Amino acid sequence: MSSLQWFAVRKELRPRTRLATAFMSFVLPLLVWSLVSYVPWIWHPKVEVIDPGGVSYFTRDMLVDREVFDAELATAREEHRALPTGRPANPIYLPAPHQVARAFYKAFTTEPKRHSEKWLHESLWESIQVIFWGFFLSSLFGVPLGILAGTYDFVSRLFEPFVEFFRYLPAPAFGALAVAILGIYHAPKIAIIFIGTFFQQVLVIANTTRKLDPSLLEAAQTLGAKNIALLFRVVIPGIVTDLYKDMRILLGWAWTYLIVAELIGTSSGITWFITQQARYKNFDNVFAAIMMIGILGLTTDLLLAWLGRRIFPWQKAAANL
Amino acid sequence: MHKLELPSYLEQSDEVRDRFTRLKQRPVLLEVKGLGKTFDSAHGPVIALNEISFKTHRREFVCVIGPSGCGKSTLIRILAGLEPPSSGRVLLDGKAVHGPGPDRGMVFQGYTLFPWLTVKKNVMFGLEMAGRGKMAAEEEAMQWIDLVGLSKFAKSYPHQLSGGMKQRVAIARALANQPRILLMDEPFGALDAQTRARMQAYLLEIWQNIDITILFITHDLDEAIYLADRILVLRAHPGEVDELIEVPVPQPRSPGQFLSPEFLATKKRLEELIHPPQAEAQDNGDHLNMMRMVSVNDEVESVF
């Protein structure tokens, strides 16, 4: 297949090429990461000391800047002391893929350092609960309000200007307030996710509702549908597929508020794990945890996309995802 | 071009004249009285419809035709109750109509089937709105689907159907409510020629067998003559009634009549009304600015 076909404007690739390309979208970043990690002459601004030789302050496995190492090596050579040896290394904050992979596995199997601390899966579960409740409560109010605002001009005028104003207020700014009102445990975190999601949700869903083809409403009216029936039999089923897509995107936004939310009050969940591991300089664990969030998010989204195709059989399959 | 000798469109055979006499003795189903519609635009008010009046009798098939901008879509939307008139009244069976209702079924040009409902559920929609029980609605809906020949597709979703099939479902959906009148706004406008011809035949067949009055909007002259008992010709700017033509082509209609003298005579008359000689184009300066753009030594000098 020539590259010309790869860049045909708005033409779908062949199924096999599509799959391979999608696979590449993960392989490419991994490749870059591997190159930087494993090819000694790419980057590697540090030197890991193997043998300190005659340099008094060097110890085994110590990371020093390359310039410092080179200077010490030169000095040692001049003064005829034992020469230090080392190998190029990356800074501690960029672990290699295999280290992160090992950490990924070990993070689940390692017992917490202190008895009161939580296992990783427990921390993750805590985070999932916070996300769930924040998103659930937001949707409980946001979805009906959005649909009503998109359907009735009165509701739109009454709520949307304020919502529009409020959505510019950064959710984390309410952290202190949330703690003062709701205490230090899960409640304020759920509140932050709620604030971060709700106002966007109302506007996005109101817009989706407005995009419903008005001729469907007219057709329904000529068939005898009145106000309430129009809302429940036409508006809601008419937008439900787009609404579902909106919800998937909004759930992604909720995840982005998670880290900030969990720093409020007593740090908890996956954020607690990340900050704790960063403190111990276990950056392989930090990467593993960040990736876990990504994997969790992507898996949920793929699952929801698949579920969507089951629930809404009238959707053309290609329009999904 | 040699002149074709055509009779006047006003000439009717005895049979046809007799039919129109009987038709006009039927009770009036739809009466439009002095209907006007004015829109507010940036350049001041625009009169879309002015003093439209006409009567439609029971089981009559009326086509509305006119040049673009004559307000034929506005007219049908007012009749359906989707837009309020600025002046005048619409009477259905002698009673004034307000707002949309199931007594006036409508088929739109765009496909307005509910994409989330199967064909059967689409047709059941109006019946359920009317408070019919699920079982009864389902049974009735199946009869209408059968009538338009789509029983095999009862469980399909609209996106699985072709354009012509979608419009057949839309017709079945509107008829299921047993409306007094069926309003059709260029329903076959988006279909290809073959499908459209087939749909016209279907529609005539349905009309002949069901107690239904049809008001049908089109911009296709042949379609209007082929389908209609009478054709309401509108004129543009402002939209006014130009003429109400009694189509002299005998009923029942068949595609074989397309070249009959009566048909052609009617078509000639419609052409005169809708595309009057040297109208439109020259008046508003809307024409191509053509010069010769063929290279000098081009092998084909002229297309003639």
Side-chain angles (χ1 to χ4, degrees):
Chain A
M1 179 181 258
S2 77
S3 64
L4 244 137
Q5 277 163 296
W6 290 9
F7 293 98
V9 172
R10 298 213 54 171
K11 288 275 185 314
E12 256 184 33
L13 296 170
R14 286 185 303 185
R16 280 193 60 179
T17 326
R18 287 192 93 189
L19 205 70
T21 316
F23 186 64
M24 286 304 282
S25 94
F26 279 96
V27 170
L28 282 177
L30 192 66
L31 200 69
V32 172
W33 184 19
S34 300
L35 281 177
V36 172
S37 299
Y38 298 131
V39 181
W41 61 85
I42 297 179
W43 204 34
H44 290 77
K46 298 270 186 181
V47 173
E48 186 187 343
V49 178
I50 297 170
D51 176 9
V55 184
S56 55
Y57 67 92
F58 278 13
T59 52
R60 232 182 101 75
D61 294 341
M62 184 186 191
L63 282 181
V64 289
D65 288 343
R66 189 152 33 180
E67 295 83 42
V68 175
F69 185 86
D70 288 347
E72 290 295 349
L73 186 65
T75 329
R77 197 172 282 143
E78 253 170 53
E79 295 173 5
H80 303 291
R81 281 187 273 138
L83 298 180
T85 52
R87 58 164 165 264
N90 277 328
I92 188 149
Y93 56 78
L94 185 74
H98 75 274
Q99 290 170 308
V100 173
R102 195 188 323 126
F104 203 96
Y105 168 74
K106 266 173 54 190
F108 283 101
T109 51
T110 318
E111 216 175 319
K113 289 203 174 153
R114 267 175 278 160
H115 206 62
S116 60
E117 291 174 359
K118 288 194 166 81
W119 289 69
L120 175 62
H121 61 88
E122 288 173 318
S123 298
L124 264 177
W125 180 236
E126 229 175 23
S127 294
I128 291 172
Q129 279 176 309
V130 167
I131 285 273
F132 172 80
W133 285 110
F135 192 70
F136 175 76
L137 289 173
S138 167
S139 304
L140 195 64
F141 299 100
V143 172
L145 191 59
I147 292 176
L148 289 176
T151 310
Y152 302 109
D153 201 31
F154 172 73
V155 180
S156 162
R157 291 291 126 208
L158 190 62
F159 288 102
E160 274 189 71
F162 179 75
V163 169
E164 190 81 55
F165 156 75
F166 210 101
R167 85 183 165 119
Y168 282 102
L169 311 183
F174 292 89
L177 195 64
V179 169
I181 299 172
L182 296 167
I184 55 170
Y185 298 107
H186 282 352
K189 308 174 205 302
I190 293 172
I192 294 302
I193 291 184
F194 180 92
I195 294 171
T197 314
F198 177 77
F199 299 96
Q200 311 283 353
Q201 194 169 32
V202 171
L203 294 179
V204 167
I205 290 176
N207 256 330
T208 298
T209 310
R210 276 189 211 105
K211 273 191 289 184
L212 178 69
D213 183 359
S215 62
L216 290 181
L217 290 170
E218 290 182 343
Q221 281 175 299
T222 63
L223 291 168
K226 295 273 188 301
N227 239 324
I228 291 293
L230 273 181
L231 181 64
F232 283 98
R233 298 290 304 270
V234 184
V235 175
I236 293 175
I239 61 162
V240 75
T241 50
D242 286 332
L243 185 83
Y244 189 78
K245 274 183 216 157
D246 287 346
M247 294 295 269
R248 273 168 57 196
I249 294 170
L250 286 160
L251 183 60
W253 286 2
W255 272 100
T256 62
Y257 279 105
L258 177 71
I259 300 296
V260 188
E262 284 184 337
L263 283 173
I264 285 161
T266 54
S267 152
S268 73
I270 192 76
T271 312
W272 172 83
F273 181 83
I274 290 174
T275 42
Q276 198 74 358
Q277 294 301 321
R279 201 169 292 150
Y280 299 143
K281 289 212 161 52
N282 293 335
F283 287 100
D284 43 357
N285 282 345
V286 172
F287 272 82
I290 292 175
M291 259 172 228
M292 240 167 261
I293 298 180
I295 291 169
L296 216 59
L298 186 66
T299 318
T300 325
D301 195 60
L302 287 176
L303 216 68
L304 288 175
W306 175 83
L307 203 66
R309 284 195 290 269
R310 302 278 118 152
I311 312 174
F312 311 121
W314 62 89
Q315 243 185 342
K316 281 165 230 163
N320 221 286
L321 228 157
Chain B
M1 205 175 103
H2 74 270
K3 261 273 191 272
L4 199 63
E5 279 306 317
L6 287 176
S8 162
Y9 73 99
L10 293 170
E11 247 172 62
Q12 293 175 353
S13 68
D14 294 340
E15 212 181 321
V16 170
R17 191 175 315 113
D18 187 43
R19 187 165 173 277
F20 274 115
T21 322
R22 279 184 284 125
L23 191 151
K24 282 181 230 165
Q25 281 163 357
R26 295 183 204 157
V28 174
L29 188 111
L30 176 78
E31 185 170 6
V32 176
K33 277 186 181 169
L35 200 70
K37 178 77 185 177
T38 313
F39 289 108
D40 289 317
S41 79
H43 313 288
V46 173
I47 300 172
L49 293 174
N50 187 30
E51 286 292 317
I52 304 271
S53 298
F54 65 90
K55 282 179 192 167
T56 304
H57 298 267
R58 259 189 78 172
R59 295 200 63 181
E60 188 180 349
F61 199 130
V62 180
C63 278
V64 180
I65 201 165
S68 57
C70 70
K72 45 191 192 292
S73 274
T74 312
L75 173 65
I76 205 164
R77 288 175 58 80
I78 292 174
L79 296 183
L82 295 171
E83 262 174 57
S86 306
S87 61
R89 295 204 298 164
V90 177
L91 302 173
L92 189 75
D93 287 324
K95 290 186 288 274
V97 300
H98 300 286
D103 51 349
R104 283 148 291 141
M106 178 123 171
V107 178
F108 299 79
Q109 174 173 14
Y111 308 120
T112 55
L113 296 183
F114 304 124
W116 60 91
L117 297 179
T118 58
V119 165
K120 187 173 77 183
K121 293 260 172 68
N122 259 289
V123 178
M124 282 166 67
F125 186 90
L127 296 165
E128 285 180 349
M129 287 297 124
R132 214 68 60 86
K134 211 175 168 99
M135 293 295 276
E138 199 171 324
E139 207 171 299
E140 242 175 283
M142 282 313 291
Q143 286 176 9
W144 291 103
I145 294 167
D146 197 36
L147 182 93
V148 293
L150 289 174
S151 300
K152 266 193 281 179
F153 296 91
K155 290 203 172 79
S156 303
Y157 285 97
H159 75 87
Q160 296 165 311
L161 305 180
S162 70
M165 294 196 312
K166 281 185 206 170
Q167 284 308 57
R168 271 147 77 186
V169 178
I171 292 170
R173 184 177 69 172
L175 288 176
N177 265 0
Q178 307 209 321
R180 300 292 294 153
I181 187 165
L182 185 61
L183 306 167
M184 306 184 85
D185 186 3
E186 302 200 25
F188 309 145
L191 303 177
D192 62 81
Q194 284 92 350
T195 313
R196 188 187 312 185
R198 212 159 348 114
M199 292 296 292
Q200 289 165 354
Y202 286 143
L203 184 62
L204 280 180
E205 221 176 301
I206 290 170
W207 170 66
Q208 281 154 15
N209 292 304
I210 291 172
D211 173 15
I212 188 76
T213 311
I214 299 181
L215 190 121
F216 188 105
I217 289 199
T218 179
H219 59 256
D220 181 336
L221 307 184
D222 289 322
E223 186 170 67
I225 304 166
Y226 179 48
L227 295 176
D229 283 321
R230 295 194 291 177
I231 301 176
L232 184 73
V233 186
L234 298 184
R235 151 181 354 121
H237 314 295
E240 285 175 331
V241 176
D242 211 349
E243 190 175 350
L244 186 59
I245 294 178
E246 295 180 351
V247 180
V249 184
Q251 294 267 16
R253 302 277 162 75
S254 71
Q257 293 168 318
F258 271 99
L259 293 173
S260 71
E262 302 94 346
F263 197 102
L264 294 175
T266 316
K267 187 166 179 185
K268 183 162 161 260
R269 176 61 183 162
L270 287 178
E271 287 279 3
E272 285 164 10
L273 289 172
I274 291 168
H275 313 291
Q278 9 150 310
E280 290 168 63
Q282 278 92 337
D283 287 350
N284 52 25
D286 179 17
H287 54 81
L288 298 181
N289 215 351
M290 255 308 156
M291 52 186 151
R292 214 174 141 80
M293 290 186 75
V294 181
S295 84
V296 182
N297 45 11
D298 194 349
E299 285 175 16
V300 182
E301 248 174 62
S302 160
V303 288
F304 300 114

